[in-house]
Amino acid sequence: MRRVGVRLGRGGGRGVLLGVLSLCLAAGRCLHSREVSLYIPHSTVNATVDENILLSVDYSCQRSPTIEWTYTSSWGMQKIVTWRPGAPPNISRSYQDRVCTYDNGSILLLSVGVRDTGYYVVTVTEDFGDTRLGTIVLNVNEILYEDLHFVAVFLALLTAMSAVLISLMWVCNKCAYKFRTTRKRRLKGNVLRLALIASLLAQDRAVTFQLRPAAISEADFSRFAVR
């Protein structure tokens, strides 16, 4: 009878162990079905000053979770907003009128500045305590208006200088053309004058040679007549 009791006790202990294992497996399956998953499509976001930036995330869980966003930088950590889907968000004072929330856990930052550069941590917590964390790095670059102004002024100066040079070249070309035209006219006039003078000189010489023989003959004639 003792041996039978011992055998029965051992069998009952094994049954209890199997029952406990079954309960643990069932609890694990239940917990696994209630597990929170978090998806972040872009872990790094680049922006410029005064731009509206969407920090996009997406989660999935069985129950309505609590979503919280915090901002971390070299200056420290700061809470941004906390809310549950379907309920009004609790936005911190420094982010009032600068944050818009969405049911999928995403937030929209309005008119970001260089000071908004840093790490943004989103925490999704379910009622049973399951929590998922995600981080998005935001880089906000400032537009260097001074450099753009310098480039614009430099381009304007180059354009003005090129216009002045083109005008000077046009004026020089016109002056050179007028100078060549005037010189040609003067040379042509001088040539005509020289030709006219040469023709007149030639005519004078011809007349002179024609008159001298007549004058000598008259003198000789008068001389001979006196004799």
Side-chain angles (χ1 to χ4, degrees), residues 126-214:
E126 201 179 21
D127 293 338
F128 289 95
D130 191 14
T131 302
R132 288 293 180 270
L133 299 176
T135 304
I136 297 178
V137 181
L138 177 62
N139 298 316
V140 181
N141 300 316
E142 185 177 7
I143 300 176
L144 301 178
Y145 294 100
E146 295 180 358
D147 293 345
L148 293 177
H149 179 71
F150 174 76
V151 171
V153 171
F154 182 71
L155 291 176
L157 288 175
L158 287 179
T159 304
M161 290 177 64
S162 61
V164 171
L165 289 175
I166 292 172
S167 300
L168 289 176
M169 291 177 63
W170 182 81
V171 171
C172 291
N173 189 18
K174 287 292 184 181
C175 292
Y177 176 76
K178 289 183 178 180
F179 177 75
R180 288 195 299 268
T181 304
T182 305
R183 188 175 180 182
K184 287 181 180 179
R185 290 178 181 176
R186 288 180 180 178
L187 289 175
K188 187 176 181 180
N190 292 332
V191 170
L192 292 175
R193 288 176 184 175
L194 290 175
L196 180 61
I197 292 171
S199 63
L200 292 174
L201 289 175
Q203 291 178 2
D204 290 341
R205 288 179 182 177
V207 171
T208 301
F209 284 125
Q210 290 178 1
L211 293 175
R212 281 183 181 178

Side-chain angles (χ1 to χ4, degrees), residues 27-49:
R29 290 177 181 177
C30 292
L31 290 175
H32 181 73
S33 63
R34 295 169 182 171
E35 187 179 67
V36 176
S37 63
L38 180 63
Y39 172 68
I40 299 177
H42 303 287
S43 59
T44 303
V45 178
N46 297 317
T48 55
V49 176

Side-chain angles (χ1 to χ4, degrees), residues 9-165:
R10 290 178 180 178
R14 291 177 182 178
V16 172
L17 290 176
L18 290 174
V20 171
L21 290 175
S22 299
L23 290 175
C24 291
L25 290 174
R29 290 177 181 177
C30 292
L31 290 175
H32 181 73
S33 63
R34 295 169 182 171
E35 187 179 67
V36 176
S37 63
L38 180 63
Y39 172 68
I40 299 177
H42 303 287
S43 59
T44 303
V45 178
N46 297 317
T48 55
V49 176
D50 293 333
E51 188 177 357
N52 298 332
I53 298 301
L54 177 66
L55 301 181
S56 179
V57 299
D58 194 8
Y59 70 90
S60 63
C61 61
Q62 296 296 324
R63 296 176 179 271
S64 179
T66 300
I67 304 169
E68 182 180 12
W69 281 87
T70 56
Y71 167 69
T72 304
S73 67
S74 58
W75 300 98
M77 182 180 294
Q78 185 178 6
K79 182 179 177 181
I80 300 175
V81 60
T82 302
W83 83 97
R84 294 175 68 92
N90 183 15
I91 303 174
S92 62
R93 183 177 299 177
S94 58
Y95 283 90
Q96 288 290 338
D97 300 328
R98 288 193 58 216
V99 174
C100 296
T101 61
Y102 298 92
D103 290 338
N104 64 347
S106 303
I107 61 172
L108 179 67
L109 296 178
L110 304 177
S111 300
V112 296
V114 178
R115 65 184 183 279
D116 293 319
T117 299
Y119 299 89
Y120 290 81
V121 180
V122 56
T123 305
V124 180
T125 305
E126 201 179 21
D127 293 338
F128 289 95
D130 191 14
T131 302
R132 288 293 180 270
L133 299 176
T135 304
I136 297 178
V137 181
L138 177 62
N139 298 316
V140 181
N141 300 316
E142 185 177 7
I143 300 176
L144 301 178
Y145 294 100
E146 295 180 358
D147 293 345
L148 293 177
H149 179 71
F150 174 76
V151 171
V153 171
F154 182 71
L155 291 176
L157 288 175
L158 287 179
T159 304
M161 290 177 64
S162 61
V164 171
L165 289 175

Side-chain angles (χ1 to χ4, degrees), residues 205-225:
R205 288 179 182 177
V207 171
T208 301
F209 284 125
Q210 290 178 1
L211 293 175
R212 281 183 181 178
I216 293 171
S217 63
E218 290 177 357
D220 292 339
F221 179 77
S222 63
R223 190 179 297 173
F224 288 118

